[in-house]
Amino acid sequence: MEAAPHPVSRFGHVELQDMPDDLRRRIGVITEKSGFVPNVFLALARRPAELRAFLDYHDALMDSDEGLSRAERELVVVATSGANHCTYCVVAHGAILRVRSKDAEIADRVATNPWGVELSPRERAIVDLALLIATDSASLTEAELDDARMAGLSEDEIWDVGAITALFAMSNRLAHLTALRPNPEFFLMGRLPRS
């Protein structure tokens, strides 16, 4: 008889109260803001040093106020996670994209067909570059970078697209490895006006 699937990860998880003090404090801030502990932290906390490194790079890329907007950063994550078939990241970052863009539909449209979704020219350039890096980075040439520049992306914004795509390529693969399950709370975030 096959065991029932684990509610967070096939490798189990670490509860917030059982994490090292620094991680408990750091994730506690996120928990207080969102009202729940995202499962990715519970799953990755089984290897605290790796979770710290992941959080440091994640925060440096995703919480920056320079370069891409925070909504554009989430757009990269949702598009590439859709291309990589990563349910956890599509659901979790789709929720954040809906909130940051104030658009209840964008995440679903981007995740289901990132290559064909109708976007502004700037968003299209961001998504096209991210998809190329996510799916065929060895074919990247100066021509694709020129296309991004022509759409108004700066050198730093192009770097943002590449670095976010690279980080979430790793994240997507860890989510696949662990069979990471999205928190139920993510599914409704940003779909209905806050009461």
Side-chain angles (χ1 to χ4, degrees):
M1 177 180 277
E2 192 173 310
H6 190 277
V8 173
S9 159
R10 70 168 44 115
F11 291 92
H13 71 278
V14 178
E15 292 293 343
L16 185 62
Q17 67 268 15
D18 298 325
M19 293 181 195
D21 290 344
D22 64 309
L23 288 173
R24 188 171 56 251
R25 282 190 302 273
R26 190 168 185 179
I27 294 166
V29 171
I30 297 163
T31 301
E32 191 171 309
K33 187 175 181 178
S34 66
F36 62 96
V37 182
N39 284 345
V40 66
F41 304 134
L42 299 175
L44 296 183
R46 67 188 309 274
R47 300 185 65 156
E50 292 173 31
L51 177 55
R52 287 181 190 100
F54 176 82
L55 287 169
D56 286 345
Y57 197 41
H58 174 279
D59 293 354
L61 291 175
M62 301 304 289
D63 293 342
S64 177
D65 290 322
E66 297 177 13
L68 297 178
S69 73
R70 291 188 183 203
E72 289 170 336
R73 292 167 191 277
E74 296 298 337
L75 180 66
V76 171
V77 178
V78 173
T80 59
S81 296
N84 289 329
H85 310 287
C86 180
T87 302
Y88 183 87
C89 291
V90 163
V91 171
H93 289 274
I96 300 167
L97 175 58
R98 288 190 299 273
V99 169
R100 291 193 171 161
S101 68
K102 296 176 179 41
D103 182 337
E105 298 177 9
I106 189 169
D108 295 327
R109 289 187 284 112
V110 169
T112 56
N113 186 3
W115 291 273
V117 64
E118 190 174 320
L119 298 167
S120 73
R122 178 179 169 86
E123 291 169 333
R124 182 79 263 157
I126 289 168
V127 168
D128 286 348
L129 180 59
L131 290 170
L132 178 63
I133 294 167
T135 62
D136 192 15
S137 61
S139 72
L140 178 68
T141 68
E142 202 64 31
E144 288 82 23
L145 298 178
D146 285 342
D147 289 344
R149 292 177 186 115
M150 290 291 293
L153 272 68
S154 69
E155 298 300 294
D156 282 341
E157 290 171 330
I158 290 169
W159 185 283
D160 288 341
V161 171
I164 292 165
T165 299
L167 175 67
F168 280 90
M170 179 195 75
S171 183
N172 295 163
R173 281 147 184 85
L174 281 173
H176 289 146
L177 172 69
T178 61
L180 190 57
R181 293 173 178 262
N183 300 68
E185 294 89 344
F186 281 128
F187 288 95
L188 294 179
M189 283 175 58
R191 293 192 189 276
L192 302 172
R194 287 185 139 181
S195 50

